[in-house]
Amino acid sequence: MVFSDARIIDQAGVFTGRYLWQDHGLAGAVRARVDQGDLFNVLLARPRVTAPTMALRASLKNKIMPILQAWLQDEWIALLASGLASYSLVDRPLVDYRQHAEQEVGMPATGIAEKAKLFSNPHRVRSEHYSDMVAKFKMAQERLLEHNQDGCQLEHLSGLSKIDHMEKLSTLPGDRWQRTPLILSELFSARYLRYSPGWITVAKDL
């Protein structure tokens, strides 16, 4: 798999001054991990590669297809490809990524005001959210196991201990005070920081 950066443009096609990798946090320590070959585990925390920037060898097609309904195509393709094949980054923007009001999936919140909206909007019951995530990542695990004989790295399968993390969180009690010990336990184990956007997810769960 090869993927590049992209310029973010607005609805009128004007460059916003922002870049895809910058907004997806593909920089600093995260970028260093990717350069060291750890893209699979980086993608377990959050999606950072978008389909329009990717190119894949045709030999991966039968391993990645079909894309399962619970997954966004970008997430599924990037995660499976990073677990089943080598990858390379093109360190410059090769496409323009257009943001507009009607798009199904947009960019992650970047400003303080945008992030604040994540807490003001009503959320699904967190335990139900995590139950759905467990089912979703077990689908990816099954596909990786299916093609393990074709070169899938065993550490990638063990990296899906994210499933254990989400299974624990799927038992979150409805009462906020009762759920605190479990959240703190997962926080001190570092699994929140390893398998999610980190503190923002802890705050949501609390």
Side-chain angles (χ1 to χ4, degrees), residues 1 55-65 80-82 84-86:
M1 172 176 66
L56 306 171
R57 287 194 182 278
S59 58
L60 284 172
K61 180 180 177 182
N62 291 336
K63 300 173 183 178
I64 291 173
M65 299 299 290
L80 266 289
S82 67
L84 294 169
S86 59

Side-chain angles (χ1 to χ4, degrees), residues 64-127:
I64 291 173
M65 299 299 290
I67 300 170
L68 301 183
Q69 189 173 6
W71 286 79
L72 294 173
Q73 63 175 15
D74 307 59
E75 292 180 282
W76 176 263
I77 294 171
L79 186 68
L80 266 289
S82 67
L84 294 169
S86 59
Y87 63 86
S88 182
L89 286 70
V90 178
D91 219 343
R92 63 182 187 276
L94 298 183
V95 299
D96 286 344
Y97 185 95
R98 180 170 170 261
Q99 285 196 283
H100 55 89
E102 287 76 34
Q103 69 193 107
E104 182 180 351
V105 180
M107 295 299 300
T110 54
I112 294 176
E114 289 177 290
K115 289 181 178 179
K117 290 179 183 177
L118 295 174
F119 299 99
S120 60
N121 294 333
H123 289 285
R124 295 180 54 213
V125 176
R126 297 300 286 171
S127 58

Side-chain angles (χ1 to χ4, degrees), residues 162-177:
K162 172 170 182 167
I163 293 173
D164 298 331
H165 170 62
M166 292 183 298
E167 282 181 332
K168 280 199 171 182
L169 293 175
S170 70
T171 66
L172 281 172
D175 181 83
R176 290 183 178 180
W177 293 111

